[in-house]
Amino acid sequence: VWAFATARAAAETLFGAIAGHAVNRVDDFKPQDMANTVWAFAKACVAAEALFAAIGGAAMNRIGDFNPQNMANTVWAFATAGVATETLFGTIAGAAANRIGDFNPQDLANTAWAFACIGWKHSDLFTLLGSALLERLGMLNDIQKSQLYVVTVYFQTEWPHLEFPLSAHVRSLRSAYTRQEPNPSQLQCDVSTM
């Protein structure tokens, strides 16, 4: 499914069959398999609630086996698909906080964006991610910077009395954001198939 999602190939029937089969086999999945599977479904705009629920449960039970990329891709996929579970995000937030030094800049940006998209209500995670990103802004591309613009706006809206580590860079982040083509949300994908 990863290849079909990456190629943006229309394969709704294939995705449906895989979701039906995979939901009963997620305990056999490695962390990368879980992350790649939900990533592919989110990227292809294919709804699979039962599969996301099964992978979310398995991921929480095996979070210690997830590397930073697996964590980042999982929360990105759940946020992109509009499937936000407080318990899964809470589990990943705790694991990410403990391993923040192992995250690369892209994983940090994807994680921060995902938590902003679901409306995460704990400023400490955003402060931690923003601080880790501060020294790495030059390593980010425009897509990642545009994600961080969304995160910065979210943080400033939710906690106007707190200083977000990336606030001083909001202009350059906004510039990256305005240069990006729109990326459809799950709702837009659902509406377009009606």
Side-chain angles (χ1 to χ4, degrees):
V1 288
W2 179 88
F4 281 90
T6 302
R8 296 189 182 263
E12 186 98 21
T13 304
L14 172 66
F15 275 85
I18 289 171
H21 180 71
V23 76
N24 297 317
R25 305 224 30 206
V26 295
D27 290 335
D28 298 332
F29 283 22
K30 295 179 176 107
Q32 184 175 347
D33 300 333
M34 289 185 237
N36 286 353
T37 300
V38 291
W39 180 91
F41 275 81
K43 184 76 173 171
C45 296
V46 176
E49 290 179 33
L51 179 62
F52 273 77
I55 288 178
M60 287 188 297
N61 292 332
R62 297 181 40 212
I63 197 64
D65 297 333
F66 276 59
N67 66 33
Q69 184 179 10
N70 301 150
M71 288 186 251
N73 288 351
T74 299
V75 293
W76 180 92
F78 273 75
T80 299
V83 181
T85 64
E86 179 106 11
T87 52
L88 173 63
F89 275 76
T91 299
I92 292 177
N98 290 331
R99 299 190 51 204
I100 200 76
D102 297 335
F103 278 67
N104 70 34
Q106 180 179 352
D107 297 336
L108 291 166
N110 287 345
T111 301
W113 178 86
F115 277 88
C117 285
I118 64 141
W120 190 250
K121 298 297 182 193
H122 306 284
S123 64
D124 55 337
L125 178 66
F126 292 105
T127 301
L128 182 65
L129 292 166
S131 295
L133 280 158
L134 195 55
E135 60 196 44
R136 302 176 184 179
L137 282 178
M139 300 173 167
L140 300 174
N141 64 31
D142 274 358
I143 293 170
Q144 295 147 358
K145 288 178 182 176
S146 69
Q147 288 177 315
L148 294 178
Y149 176 67
V150 171
V151 174
T152 303
V153 169
Y154 175 75
F155 188 96
Q156 291 173 336
T157 302
E158 288 296 312
W159 302 284
H161 60 287
L162 297 177
E163 182 68 26
F164 185 56
L166 301 179
S167 293
H169 302 278
V170 73
R171 284 185 180 192
S172 67
L173 299 176
R174 183 176 51 236
S175 292
Y177 179 81
T178 59
R179 288 190 296 269
Q180 294 304 303
E181 289 185 33
N183 193 6
S185 68
Q186 182 62 48
L187 176 61
Q188 291 166 320
C189 291
D190 292 345
V191 169
S192 71
T193 61
M194 296 175 93

